[in-house]
Amino acid sequence: MLKVERQKVKLFIFFVIFATVMSVTDLLLIAVGLSMDAFAVAIGKGLSVRKVRPKHSLIVGGWFGGFQALMPVLGYYLGISFADFVESVDHWIAFVMLGIIGFNMIHESLTKGCERSSDDFSPKAMLPLAVATSIDALAIGISLAFLKEEIFAPAATIGITTAVLSAIGLYIGNAFGCKYKSKAEFMGGAVLILIGIKILVEHTL
C-alpha cells in the first residue's frame, strides 16, 4: 500500500515538473520569437558601424531589452482591466494576436530587402527603434492578462532574451551583413504562430 502511495506521489511530481517545463519552454519560445524584430534591427545597426564596440552592444541591448520588458507589463495591466469580460474567449484572443504578429513578421521577412540603419546610437535614434520593435510585446502582455498568467517573470525573460540576442545581432551584422536578418524574422514569426495554435488547442480540446 505504501509503495502504491509513493508511486502516486512520484507520478504527481512528474506531471507537475512536466507542466512547469512546458510552461518555461513556451515562455522561452515566445521570448525568442519576440526578440527577432530587435535582432534584425540590431543586425542593421551592426552594418552601419566600422567596428562594434562594447558600448554599442550595451546601448542596443539596453534599449531593446528594456522596452521589450516594459511593454508586456504595460499590456498586461491594460488587458487585466477588462480581462473578466472576455474570459470565455481569452484563448481565441491570444491565438489571433500571436497569429497576426507572426504573419506580419513572416511577411516582412519575405518582402523587405537588406536595409542599413543609421550609425547613430543616441537616445534620439534608439528610442523610436526600441518602441517600434517592442509593440508586439505589448500585445503579448494583453494576451497573458487574458490567460491570467503572471507577468513579471515573462517580462524579465523577454527583456533579457532580447538584450542578449540584440547584442549578438549587432556583431553578426557587423561581421556578416544582413545574411541572417530575414531568416531571423521568418523564424520568429513562425514560432509565435505555433505558440498561438498550441494555446488554442490546449483550451479547446
Side-chain angles (χ1 to χ4, degrees):
M1 188 69 177
L2 184 59
K3 185 177 180 180
V4 173
E5 291 300 322
R6 285 178 179 176
Q7 287 179 340
K8 288 182 179 180
V9 171
K10 287 180 180 180
L11 190 62
F12 173 75
I13 293 173
F14 169 79
F15 280 116
V16 169
I17 294 174
F18 180 76
T20 303
V21 170
M22 289 300 290
S23 177
V24 171
T25 301
D26 291 346
L27 173 57
L28 288 174
L29 287 173
I30 288 173
V32 171
L34 286 176
S35 70
M36 288 300 103
D37 268 351
F39 178 74
V41 172
I43 289 176
K45 296 297 286 186
L47 286 166
S48 70
V49 293
R50 186 179 298 273
K51 182 180 180 181
V52 175
R53 303 184 183 279
K55 70 175 183 179
H56 293 145
S57 60
L58 288 174
I59 290 171
V60 168
W63 276 101
F64 290 162
F67 270 80
Q68 285 278 26
L70 175 63
M71 286 296 191
V73 176
L74 294 178
Y76 182 86
Y77 285 106
L78 176 66
I80 206 165
S81 62
F82 54 88
D84 289 339
F85 296 102
V86 291
E87 187 172 356
S88 61
V89 293
D90 51 9
H91 46 286
W92 284 102
I93 293 173
F95 168 72
V96 170
M97 283 187 168
L98 288 170
I100 291 173
I101 295 168
F103 277 115
N104 184 56
M105 289 177 67
I106 290 174
H107 175 72
E108 289 184 356
S109 74
L110 297 175
T111 57
K112 281 187 175 181
C114 182
E115 299 177 1
R116 282 181 177 268
S117 300
S118 166
D119 61 355
D120 186 2
F121 287 84
S122 68
K124 182 179 178 181
M126 294 304 300
L127 179 59
L129 293 176
V131 172
T133 56
S134 61
I135 292 299
D136 293 346
L138 183 73
I140 295 298
I142 294 173
S143 299
L144 290 175
F146 291 155
L147 296 173
K148 299 190 181 300
E149 296 285 344
E150 193 269 335
I151 185 58
F152 291 106
T157 302
I158 292 168
I160 292 170
T161 301
T162 301
V164 171
L165 291 179
S166 297
I168 293 172
L170 193 67
Y171 284 96
I172 289 176
N174 191 246
F176 301 104
C178 58
K179 179 180 178 182
Y180 301 103
K181 187 174 181 180
S182 61
K183 292 180 180 179
E185 288 182 319
F186 184 91
M187 290 301 297
V191 165
L192 293 182
I193 291 171
L194 290 173
I195 292 293
I197 293 171
K198 181 178 182 293
I199 290 173
L200 184 64
V201 169
E202 287 179 342
H203 285 76
T204 55
L205 295 182

